Amino acid sequence: MTDDLAPGPAAPARRGLIAFVRRWWWRIPLYFAIFSVVQVLVLRFVQPPLSAFMVARQLEAWGSGDFGFRIAYDWRDMDEISAHVPVAMIAAEDQNFPHHHGFDFKAIEKARQHNERAEERARKRNTTVQRLRGASTISQQTAKNLFLWRGRGPTRWLRKGLEVWYTVLIETLWSKQRIIEVYANTVELGDGVYGAQAAARTYFRKDARRLGPAEAARMAAVLPNPRRYSISRPGPYVQRRSNAIQRQMRHLGGATLLRQLE
């Protein structure tokens, strides 16, 4: 007579899974924390051969059948990049970069209030909001570009949490000069074009060290939507934003701004 109450073959598997979780639930976060600290420490001194965003874009191209697509990326140390480039990026993206510690809470609050007003106006007009204001700092964008993914869909909040962690790490373990140097070299400035040197060669046919303030401002003007806006064929929006960035560059003190990062 068969015993119907006898445990089936799934019971040992469940017990094994529970035992595995109990044994490893605290080790996996610890190992990740150690790995990420070492990762950030190494990249304080070593130039990154690629970024997570570059890898994702290359895989995206191959996945769509575009096997001829190639990433344009050419690292240059900060002394090989025109000082106008980092100043333009700070003016465009994060004017408090020299002073904050990775997160600009005043900018976050202003962005929240602006977006609430924009959404309220859109509801009254029965339309959708065309452009929400962000408040990510250059430190946050560097962390995301270098280590993470675009975070759409169900993984968005996981990516946000990891972005906070990596931002704290690079602000703790890197200098401000290193952060802006990595950002200027890895930020996307066109579809598959990453960093100041690749953008300078692609759009202006010159090295990044020879870029003037107007060219640097035009590069920064396409951020944070470099696939929507064009450096080589700037429309009215990019032209207006470029002019505004140049004014802000002068207001921030031009190249003297970089001395605050030392």
Side-chain angles (χ1 to χ4, degrees), residues 84-93 95 213-224 237-252 254:
H84 299 302
V85 173
V87 173
M89 291 177 174
I90 292 170
E93 294 289 281
Q95 295 170 20
E215 295 161 327
R218 198 198 306 176
M219 284 170 50
V222 303
L223 299 172
Y237 168 78
V238 172
Q239 293 176 15
R240 289 195 304 272
R241 181 161 158 79
S242 177
N243 291 335
I245 290 170
Q246 288 184 74
R247 290 193 296 271
Q248 191 61 34
M249 290 166 66
R250 292 191 292 270
H251 177 73
L252 292 173

Side-chain angles (χ1 to χ4, degrees), residues 101-212:
H101 299 288
F103 308 95
D104 190 339
F105 296 105
K106 290 183 179 179
I108 292 171
E109 179 60 21
K110 287 181 180 179
R112 185 189 65 79
Q113 294 175 1
H114 173 273
N115 293 339
E116 284 182 353
R117 291 193 297 268
E119 289 170 351
E120 179 63 25
R121 289 193 297 268
R123 279 195 297 270
K124 290 179 179 179
R125 296 193 300 264
N126 197 27
T127 59
T128 58
V129 180
Q130 296 298 315
R131 185 183 297 116
L132 291 174
R133 178 181 294 178
S136 291
T137 63
I138 283 176
S139 302
Q140 289 176 269
Q141 293 177 52
T142 302
K144 179 176 64 175
N145 294 346
L146 194 57
F147 301 109
L148 302 173
W149 62 94
R150 293 193 181 276
R152 296 187 180 93
T155 65
R156 180 171 181 265
W157 293 110
L158 172 62
R159 195 268 296 163
K160 282 287 187 183
L162 292 175
E163 180 184 306
V164 170
W165 170 247
Y166 273 109
T167 299
V168 170
L169 285 184
I170 66 175
E171 278 281 343
T172 303
L173 301 175
W174 294 1
S175 66
K176 287 286 188 178
Q177 283 187 329
R178 180 58 173 171
I179 294 172
I180 193 64
E181 180 181 46
V182 173
Y183 180 74
N185 274 283
T186 58
V187 65
E188 187 176 20
L189 292 167
D191 188 13
V193 180
Y194 293 86
Q197 174 65 12
R201 296 301 305 171
T202 300
Y203 303 118
F204 300 114
R205 300 294 186 268
K206 62 173 67 173
D207 288 333
R209 68 165 69 244
R210 297 178 52 225
L211 292 172

